[in-house]
Each structure stands twice: as structure tokens, then as C-alpha cells.
Amino acid sequence: MNNSQPRGRGGSQTARGTVRSQARRAELIATGRKLFADTSYDALSMDDIARQAGVAKGLISYYFTNKRGYYLAIIEDAVAELVERAGSTHDLPPVERVQRTVDGYLRYAQHHQAAYRAIVTGGVGFDAEVMAIRDAVRARLLGTIALGAWGRTDLPPVARTALTGWLSSVEGVTLDWIAEQELPRETVVALLVRGLGDTLRLIEECEPGCPAPPRPPA
């Protein structure tokens, strides 16, 4: 009995330490997202980051190894939020689900412009690791679309290619929209949803096993 009590206390202390560590890491990522939103990657040094975060530079190195590791962690966090938004409409009717998913995607891009640009353009120059993160989020988003349209995530080649083309157009439209800020978000949603409907009907022509949903009433 006496031997088990210290182990229990130690385990509890370890758990509390883990929770604190995770919370501290999350705080640093939140700070980094704000920093990189306002300042380019190359313009920020580790000393700058530590000063803005109000911590010792060694703490950032402890959690993320270096500035690149910190930046990648911030991008991965942004991707996780974007994917979560896209997959949070599963309990809605199909048409409303698509509209809410696209609207949530655009809202994210509008309010996290630096992170969004980094995700879809590959980050700092051509960054293979950021590109891999982008490819992963594309795959997750394609799976979300396929699940909503056909109740499945395994895509025939023609469906995967066509939906990838639509998603690439979404990225281009979104980048233009957040840069120019000329159109209301509702208009952009309507354009993208209409484009998805046209893409799904084209897929059905080539792959009858992937029927398009009915057109929404005019």
C-alpha cells in the first residue's frame, strides 16, 4: 500500500504536468498565429518570437526545436481547424451541408488570411513539408465532399480528378476574394456551390455509380 501511493501521486503529477505542457504549447501556437499573420516568416527571428511571446527563446526550442518547427506546428494547427470546420455539418440536409461547409471555409480564410495563404500556396517558397500538409488537408476535404455526396470516401479516378479540379478552383477564387475584398461572402458561396453542382453532374455522366444530387429548386 505504501509503495503504491507515491506512484499514484507521481502519476497524477505527471498528468498535471502533461496538461500544463499541452496548454503552454497551445498558447505558443496561438501567439505564433498572430505573429505570422502580421509579419513574414523571414522577418521574424527566434529572438523576436520569444520577445513577443514573453518567454525565453529556449522554451520555444524545447517545444518546437527551431523556427521552422514552430512555423510547421502553426500551419498544422491551422489545417486542423479548417478541416474541423469543413466536417462539422454532417447532421444537415445535403444542400445546406454544402453551403455551410463552403461558407465556413470562406470564413476561415477571411479571418486567418496568412495561415490560409500558407496552406494553399506551400508556405515559405516551395516548402515540401507545408505542401505535404496542404495535400493532406485537400484529401480530407475531398473525403468530406464525397461522404456528403455519395456516402463514401473511396473515389473513382474520374471523381477524384474532377473534385480536385473544383477544389483547386475554390483555392484560387478564395485567394482572389480575400485579396480584393470586392464581393460579399454570400455571392462567393453561391458561385462555388454552383460550381460543385456542375462538377458532380459531370462526374455522374462519366461515372454513373456516383449520381449527382438533385438540383436545388430555382
Side-chain angles (χ1 to χ4, degrees):
M1 178 67 71
N2 290 338
N3 289 336
S4 66
Q5 289 176 346
R7 284 199 298 270
R9 288 196 299 270
S12 178
Q13 290 170 357
T14 300
R16 287 196 297 271
T18 300
V19 170
R20 286 196 297 269
S21 178
Q22 291 173 344
R24 192 56 168 149
R25 186 179 187 276
E27 289 173 2
L28 291 172
I29 288 177
T31 298
R33 285 177 67 163
K34 294 176 183 177
L35 290 175
F36 286 112
D38 299 327
T39 310
S40 70
Y41 176 88
D42 292 331
L44 281 173
S45 68
M46 285 286 279
D47 289 326
D48 294 330
I49 293 168
R51 184 169 56 254
Q52 293 290 334
V55 300
K57 183 169 65 174
L59 185 66
I60 299 173
S61 298
Y62 172 77
Y63 283 110
F64 306 103
T65 305
N66 51 33
K67 185 174 77 166
R68 177 179 171 76
Y70 187 43
Y71 179 73
L72 289 175
I74 292 166
I75 296 302
E76 288 174 343
D77 183 72
V79 163
E81 182 179 343
L82 180 57
V83 170
E84 182 180 358
R85 284 177 180 245
S88 63
T89 59
H90 58 276
D91 57 341
L92 296 174
V95 173
E96 187 177 352
R97 183 189 310 157
V98 170
Q99 292 172 336
R100 288 278 293 275
T101 296
V102 173
D103 185 69
Y105 184 96
L106 291 174
R107 284 177 184 270
Y108 176 85
Q110 185 178 25
H111 296 296
H112 304 87
Q113 295 187 21
Y116 181 80
R117 288 192 181 95
I119 292 168
V120 302
T121 63
V124 185
F126 183 84
D127 190 316
E129 290 187 72
V130 177
M131 294 292 282
I133 295 171
R134 185 202 66 180
D135 291 343
V137 73
R138 278 183 169 183
R140 293 281 299 277
L141 291 171
L142 289 178
T144 297
I145 295 167
L147 191 62
W150 305 302
R152 54 189 280 197
T153 57
D154 57 311
L155 293 174
V158 67
R160 186 191 63 248
T161 299
L163 287 176
T164 298
W166 175 78
L167 187 55
S168 296
S169 73
V170 170
E171 293 169 352
V173 167
T174 303
L175 288 171
D176 178 78
W177 175 64
I178 61 178
E180 301 299 331
Q181 301 185 32
E182 294 175 332
L183 296 174
R185 190 181 65 255
E186 294 78 8
T187 300
V188 182
V189 170
L191 290 171
L192 295 177
V193 170
R194 175 67 178 270
L196 178 58
D198 292 343
T199 299
L200 293 175
R201 283 183 281 277
L202 179 59
I203 290 172
E204 182 181 26
E205 291 180 16
C206 300
E207 182 62 57
C210 294
R215 290 179 182 270

